[in-house]
Amino acid sequence: MVGYAHTIGHERHRFDDLKQLLACASPRRSGDELAGIAAASDERRVAARMALAELPLATFLNEAVVPYESDDVTRLIVDGHDAAAFAPVAALTVGGFRDFLLSDAVDAAPLARLAPGVTPEMAAAVSKLMRNQDLVAVAAKCRVVTGFRTTIGLEGRLSSRLQPNHPTDDPTGVAASTLDGLLFGVGDAVIGVNPASDNLQSCTMLLEMLDAARTRFDIPTQSCVLVHVTTTLAAIERGAPVDLVFQSIAGTEAANAGFGVTLALLREAQEAALALKRFTVGDNVMYFETGQGSAFSADAHHGVDQQTIEARAYGVARLFRPLLVNTVVGFIGPEYLYDAKQIIRAGLEDHFCGKLLGLPMGVDVCYTNHAEADQDDMDSLMILLGTAGVNFVIAVPGADDVMLNYQSLSYHDVATLRRLLGRRPAPEFAAWLERMGILDGAGLLAPPGAGEQRLLGRSA
């Protein structure tokens, strides 16, 4: 295997293989340090980035960071590569690719055509050469549009997941949080509940309750109970009103095995959801969540840095044409993203890589209470992601998830971000909000009263 090297001053820094080069080029990250693969000094980190910048982009087609023979994610990436889409950048180095992406001449259309030709490792590599500003600037040019009952990702739009979790899956508590979110214009991406258990009966009860509310008020959105894919398949067999199939995924076969999933199982679930034909404006039926560090916690990263492994999860996701993909960026904890600086950087990296690969990326702007971060830091990441054109964000009552015990965004935050950036919800949902008196004609929250009376009055 060919090694890589770069000289700084009188010291020559050598990197045994591509995965070591990528790991050492990564911004400082507690997960990489915990795994013993991070650069030992800032000088070595800079040397790795210099060597990476000079690396031909085509190298990633010839050297796998996880062996092809033993990993189905690698096989998916290699066998599914679109050479024709890759052709416009085939002669570039990683540094040249960065310059190409930042060029004013490259906008949404060429980036969309390029996406099938970009491998996850290429996306991860070029992100390591970028400042936060660069990650925002390129992602803002990427446009990925999907649909189920709402159309998500259109220019000038910002969607949101309404997350009405409850510590005991009490349907009244979930319904109250759902109503609260709807009155703030939240929920056009999905009304998605993380249940307290993976119990089929509880899952079915929540699905039926959410679908009854959606049908009664004619809400153009989709619902999802975020149980394991096998539980969702069982719910479909029982005739439950399943809109989206959810699953957490990762970037290696071994890490996905830790989640109890295979590519074949995900394909089976996609086909089952498509067969229900519950969609109207599009047939994107899958919802995936990811997060830097998941493969590390399962000891299934093969010595590859956590951000590159995360990008490989996006390679899995795009095979299934999902409606939604989001990174739960600060949820796993400070063992992998120690503080606000690392969380903010990871959120921008994940969003950039997903969009570059052609995915409808959202971000759960979040942190755990034992991380060196606070809500001011989440405000900063939220605004950066909004500027970067994030497809959707996640919101919970009061920014405090009482079931999962972590901090996210509030319903108020979504309304504020839309107002600041001049963004509106998905068109079908925005029209419903206006009919219900929740939004005014300018797309802003109407004065209190009208929306509550319509929803509460009709629910009496």
Side-chain angles (χ1 to χ4, degrees):
M1 186 175 290
V2 177
Y4 306 93
H6 190 84
T7 300
I8 294 182
H10 297 292
E11 185 172 358
R12 188 159 180 82
H13 293 266
R14 299 184 182 278
F15 308 94
D16 295 338
D17 52 27
L18 189 55
K19 67 181 181 181
Q20 186 181 58
L21 178 64
L22 289 168
C24 289
S26 288
R28 188 175 180 184
R29 199 134 305 170
S30 55
D32 291 340
E33 292 176 335
L34 188 66
I37 61 175
S41 66
D42 288 337
E43 181 179 287
R44 183 162 174 78
R45 184 172 291 111
V46 170
R49 290 177 183 172
M50 296 291 285
L52 185 61
E54 297 166 356
L55 189 73
L57 203 56
T59 303
F60 293 95
L61 301 177
N62 302 312
E63 184 178 345
V65 295
V66 180
Y68 179 95
E69 298 76 16
S70 59
D71 187 84
D72 61 2
V73 177
T74 299
R75 293 193 292 274
L76 169 66
I77 292 167
V78 173
D79 298 345
H81 182 251
D82 188 329
F86 180 62
V89 297
L92 298 179
T93 61
V94 177
F97 187 38
R98 173 187 176 276
D99 294 341
F100 170 87
L101 293 173
L102 287 167
S103 168
D104 289 338
V106 176
D107 57 16
L111 288 173
R113 292 192 296 270
L114 177 66
V118 179
T119 70
E121 292 85 352
M122 293 176 191
V126 74
S127 76
K128 297 175 194 298
L129 304 184
M130 290 181 159
R131 294 165 55 191
N132 288 1
Q133 175 190 134
D134 299 335
L135 298 173
V136 169
V138 176
K141 297 193 289 185
C142 297
R143 185 71 46 206
V144 183
V145 179
T146 56
F148 190 89
R149 293 192 191 97
T150 54
T151 307
I152 299 167
L154 295 169
E155 181 124 22
R157 305 282 174 169
L158 172 64
S159 293
S160 56
R161 170 185 161 190
L162 197 167
Q163 183 170 298
N165 295 347
H166 190 277
T168 63
D169 293 340
D170 177 63
T172 302
V174 172
S177 294
T178 299
L179 173 63
D180 189 19
L182 290 171
L183 290 172
F184 279 95
V186 174
D188 53 329
V190 65
I191 301 174
V193 181
N194 297 93
S197 76
D198 210 58
N199 178 274
L200 177 59
Q201 182 177 354
S202 177
C203 169
T204 303
M205 174 193 66
L206 291 172
L207 284 168
E208 290 174 345
M209 184 273 288
L210 291 172
D211 195 61
R214 180 191 65 80
T215 303
R216 180 173 186 177
F217 296 107
D218 195 25
I219 309 172
T221 190
Q222 37 284 332
S223 64
C224 184
V225 176
L226 282 68
V227 290
H228 192 268
V229 62
T230 53
T231 306
T232 301
L233 280 168
I236 291 174
E237 291 174 0
R238 288 182 54 166
V242 172
D243 289 340
L244 304 181
V245 174
F246 167 82
Q247 183 56 49
S248 294
I249 57 172
T252 68
E253 181 176 354
N256 283 321
F259 284 135
V261 296
T262 63
L263 300 182
L265 179 60
L266 294 175
R267 176 65 75 193
E268 178 187 350
Q270 181 188 35
E271 291 172 352
L274 285 169
L276 297 176
K277 297 187 183 299
R278 292 175 55 82
F279 43 82
T280 55
V281 300
D283 64 352
N284 304 110
V285 298
M286 303 297 283
Y287 177 17
F288 295 120
E289 279 192 344
T290 68
Q292 288 193 30
S294 60
F296 280 48
S297 62
D299 194 23
H301 59 95
H302 297 270
V304 181
D305 69 273
Q306 66 182 43
Q307 190 249 334
T308 299
I309 289 291
E310 171 73 4
R312 283 168 54 92
Y314 306 151
V316 174
R318 69 176 172 181
L319 175 66
F320 299 97
R321 302 189 306 109
L323 178 75
L324 308 167
V325 179
N326 72 260
T327 168
V328 192
V329 65
F331 180 73
I332 300 181
E335 298 84 359
Y336 304 103
L337 296 170
Y338 177 72
D339 57 13
K341 182 179 180 66
Q342 294 186 13
I343 292 171
I344 289 171
R345 173 70 190 192
L348 296 178
E349 288 171 347
D350 294 350
H351 178 250
F352 162 84
C353 288
K355 279 290 191 67
L356 188 61
L357 292 166
L359 288 176
M361 283 301 295
V363 178
D364 190 351
V365 178
C366 63
Y367 64 102
T368 57
N369 284 316
H370 61 312
E372 293 293 323
D374 60 28
Q375 209 64 35
D376 286 336
D377 300 314
M378 298 307 103
D379 288 346
S380 298
L381 179 54
M382 174 187 76
I383 293 168
L384 284 167
L385 287 165
T387 305
V390 68
N391 276 30
F392 70 101
V393 292
I394 294 176
V396 304
D400 182 13
D401 192 302
V402 296
M403 194 281 284
L404 291 173
N405 293 310
Y406 79 116
Q407 310 304 308
S408 184
L409 299 180
S410 73
Y411 301 149
H412 308 70
D413 293 330
V414 175
T416 298
L417 188 59
R418 284 172 173 160
R419 183 175 70 250
L420 281 173
L421 300 180
R423 307 284 171 79
R424 303 189 68 173
E428 301 86 356
F429 192 74
W432 177 81
L433 291 170
E434 290 184 22
R435 288 198 305 273
M436 297 300 292
I438 298 170
L439 290 188
D440 63 21
L444 301 176
L445 288 176
E452 289 94 324
Q453 290 174 10
R454 292 195 183 190
L455 283 173
L456 293 173
R458 290 176 63 179
S459 65

